[in-house]
Amino acid sequence: GIQVEQSPPDLILQEGANSTLRCNFSDSVNNLQWFHQNPWGQLINLFYIPSGTKQNGRLSATTVATERYSLLYISSSQTTDSGVYFCAVERRSNYQLIWGAGTKLIIKP
Amino acid sequence: DGGITQSPKYLFRKEGQNVTLSCEQNLNHDAMYWYRQDPGQGLRLIYYSQIVNDFQKGDIAEGYSVSREKKESFPLTVTSAQKNPTAFYLCASGQRDTQYFGPGTRLTVL
């Protein structure tokens, strides 16, 4: 089956720093999504990004489908950015999402 | 307010008991999903339903059952056949490009 690998597994930064999170996937997929899970467990969708680049405020994402990776950029980090960032890819055969193990981000004040 | 609600937030179960987790949405979404999350891991799909009275198994359906009698509701039953049910359970609804998640139910087997 499809393998989804995220790196780094953990990241600790000072407030105001920039960061890049990576997601590699092992096979062709229909699409890719990025999610954020806050420390209380609530998940929200950040980007639906099968290819190309999208930006939303301080966050942006780029997916290069032909090379099977996606990057999530966070600029000028704030403490509220802390949590776990997941990427999930949609399996071509049945449209189900396959999730990576996440990158745990801690932003220190 | 529109959204997805899950109850209870915390649930404790004795071994051998079945328990049912509630998931309700008022977003008028056709599709609903149940995921399991274990510590330090991503989500794994248990069951999903794309329309009322129809549902499909996900990757880890063994030991679980669901029903979809109403568009708004998609309850999950964790049966005694599930060997390791302690986990965080998340319900979602939406379309392929966006899934909206409930706050989750943390199930602990004593």
Side-chain angles (χ1 to χ4, degrees), chain A residues 30-31 33 35 37 40-45 47-48 86 90-91 94-102, chain B residues 35 37 40-45 48 50 57-59 88 90 95-103 106:
Chain A
N30 289 333
N31 70 66
Q33 301 182 43
F35 294 85
Q37 186 172 39
W40 298 271
Q42 183 67 54
L43 264 165
I44 61 168
N45 180 280
F47 293 103
Y48 170 84
F86 291 100
E90 187 182 83
R91 191 187 281 153
N94 60 9
Y95 308 108
Q96 293 178 19
L97 288 180
I98 308 299
W99 295 67
Chain B
Y35 292 95
Q37 185 178 23
Q41 298 186 29
L43 278 64
R44 291 183 290 168
L45 183 64
Y48 64 103
Q50 294 179 320
K57 292 182 179 180
D59 294 325
F88 187 49
L90 286 155
Q95 294 87 32
R96 285 175 60 194
D97 60 346
T98 306
Q99 290 189 16
Y100 297 88
F101 285 83
R106 201 166 295 276

Side-chain angles (χ1 to χ4, degrees), chain B residues 23-85:
Chain B
C23 178
E24 304 277 334
Q25 56 102 356
N26 61 4
L27 300 169
N28 202 35
H29 290 151
D30 287 317
M32 296 187 73
Y33 309 83
W34 272 107
Y35 292 95
R36 170 181 173 140
Q37 185 178 23
D38 292 287
Q41 298 186 29
L43 278 64
R44 291 183 290 168
L45 183 64
I46 305 172
Y47 269 98
Y48 64 103
S49 168
Q50 294 179 320
I51 197 167
V52 175
N53 292 322
D54 185 56
F55 48 83
Q56 306 294 329
K57 292 182 179 180
D59 294 325
I60 57 165
E62 186 175 351
Y64 300 98
S65 66
V66 293
S67 63
R68 187 83 189 279
E69 297 177 1
K70 297 186 300 182
K71 188 175 186 178
E72 302 81 16
S73 179
F74 191 40
L76 173 74
T77 297
V78 184
T79 75
S80 56
Q82 170 49 236
K83 298 303 180 188
N84 185 21

Side-chain angles (χ1 to χ4, degrees), chain A residues 58-77:
Chain A
R58 295 181 295 103
L59 274 61
S60 64
T62 295
T63 296
V64 183
T66 53
E67 297 186 23
R68 299 179 185 169
Y69 74 90
S70 182
L71 301 173
L72 178 69
Y73 305 97
I74 305 173
S75 64
S76 304
S77 299

